[in-house]
Amino acid sequence: MKYFSHAQFIYQQFPSLKTFIEKLFILNFRILTQYMNMALADICKLNFSSKSSLTKLPSNEEVFNAEAQDCFSIPTAPQAASYLSHLSKPDSDVHIKFNHGTTTLAFKFQHGVVVATDSRATAGDYIASQTVKKVIEINPYLLGTMAGGAADCSFWERVLAKQCRVYELRNKERISVAAASKVLANMVYNYKGMGLSMGTMICGWDKRGPGLYYVDSDGQRLNGSMFAVGSGATYAYGVMDAGYSNDMCVEDALALGKRAIYHATHRDAYSGGFVNLYHMKESGWEHISWTDVKDLHYAYKNEKK
Amino acid sequence: KMSRYDRAITVFSPDGHLFQVEYAQEAVKKGATAVGVRGKDIVVLGVEKKSVAQLQEERTVRKICTIDDHVCMAFAGLTADARVIVNKARIECQSHRLTVEDPVTVEYITRYIATVKQRYTQSNGRRPFGLSALIVGFDYDGTPHLYQTDPSGTYHAWKANAIGRSAKTVREFLEENYNADTAASEVETVKLTIKALLEVVQSGSKSMEIAVMRRNHPLQILESAEVEKVVAEIEKQKEEEAEKKQKKMKKSS
């Protein structure tokens, strides 16, 4: 602010100087942006191989069209992924640290799919929230879980919801879980290496029966009957594997999902809060419960007596 | 006056016609006849084989093309345009298998072909495709389908239809002779297709090609011997009916 008032004073004294500098700015705006880009690049420690690719900022039209197509305009550089890789390298100064502290799980059994998550969000050692909804309701018969970057998960799963609806309208039938998970996987594959962080399980029930796919931002897409994702995944796997059978009844399956999350929250510092439990049936998903792990702790303790 | 509105494809005439599209439909009417009949468990395509020159290899002239294992099409109109459409459709079928992990439904690929055709009626510097197509196949849930597309990019589902030369005559014949019983029997469906083609084709089984597709089976092009057999049957039946009629007339007079 100090300098601004100084400049004002000088301009008042020498009005022709003001016009001169203004002209300078207008004429040399292109060069100016180039220098600014260079300066910015220096601060962010990014390396650009060629100068020319930077002077072209995306036009308004390109940005607008990109929004209409639910994607981000990829930076206009020869190899966007390689120069954005600084954002995801752990030892880089500008590394974006995503909180992968979470436990989410899903498994298929004869009566559908059980989906359970915890609800803790951490920022380093600080517990930012104990009440995060990590199950995303894509549509009445498709669920997605959230692990990794919350914004990445919820944004892309909302875009997926839109694509699923358009598919339904065009083809007069619901999209299959395989197709929905593939749409998501292909969408994020375009941004591979650019710092997206998403590890989600797409669960649903379609013509082929219950469906469960694991999709992540590295481009992995796996079909399976049981997945656990997050920092507490290993604890959840142990409990799930011990009690799992395809021929479980609904009650037992839900109890198993709940118990697996509880045990993960008990031992993993970055998981906790509430257990969010869903059951995917032929008629769509049903939200079962939102249970405080504290209550579960004492309930299980009393069982042992 | 008409000539002012028929040069460019993207121009409507004052009375609402797209003349280029209509001229494309005329091109279709000049093409060799194609017939399609949808049965309950079988779909049949029949095409009129225009006579080939003496030195020409007959086998290289194919008017019935597979689009995928479970979908095939016959066309009437410009053969070269058809080649382009068939190519695009084949790629789209595989692309669909890749992104959706399911084979296309007949409706989907028909819609795709129709969309491509419509795009060419609304672009600068391009002319419409001069062909109509009959697309047959089975969806993965087993339902048989027969669709027809035309140069304007519209598509409709049919139980039985004909395109190309004398299509109207053939369609009228089909309307009179197609019924649920015919559709229920595989043999009858094939017979109806051949009968319909015989209405317009001159020299019998030599100038027609019949292809059948059964559920979960690939396209099967019938041998000329088989077609000959059915044609002979049909001729015999016709003779018998003619005799019966004569007898009736004799009796009544």
Side-chain angles (χ1 to χ4, degrees), chain A residues 167-188:
Chain A
Y167 179 98
E168 224 177 85
L169 287 167
R170 283 193 182 139
N171 296 288
K172 295 179 195 146
E173 65 169 14
R174 284 194 199 156
I175 192 170
S176 65
V177 187
S181 60
K182 200 137 205 186
V183 167
L184 181 66
N186 288 336
M187 279 196 298
V188 296

Side-chain angles (χ1 to χ4, degrees), chain B residues 6 8 14 41 83-84 95 101-102 106 108 115 128 153 167 170 172 178 197 203-204 218 221 226 251:
Chain B
D6 61 9
D41 306 304
R83 210 174 47 228
V84 172
S95 178
E101 292 192 346
D102 260 334
V106 188
Y108 177 91
T115 310
V170 180
E172 278 166 6
Y178 179 91
L197 259 184
S203 42
I221 301 194
E226 259 187 273
K251 271 198 183 165

Side-chain angles (χ1 to χ4, degrees), chain B residues 7 18 41 49 71 83 107 121 139 148 172 220:
Chain B
R7 289 295 153 221
L18 279 174
D41 306 304
K49 260 199 307 195
V71 185
R83 210 174 47 228
E107 197 264 337
T121 68
D139 289 346
Q148 185 223 359
E172 278 166 6
Q220 183 202 357

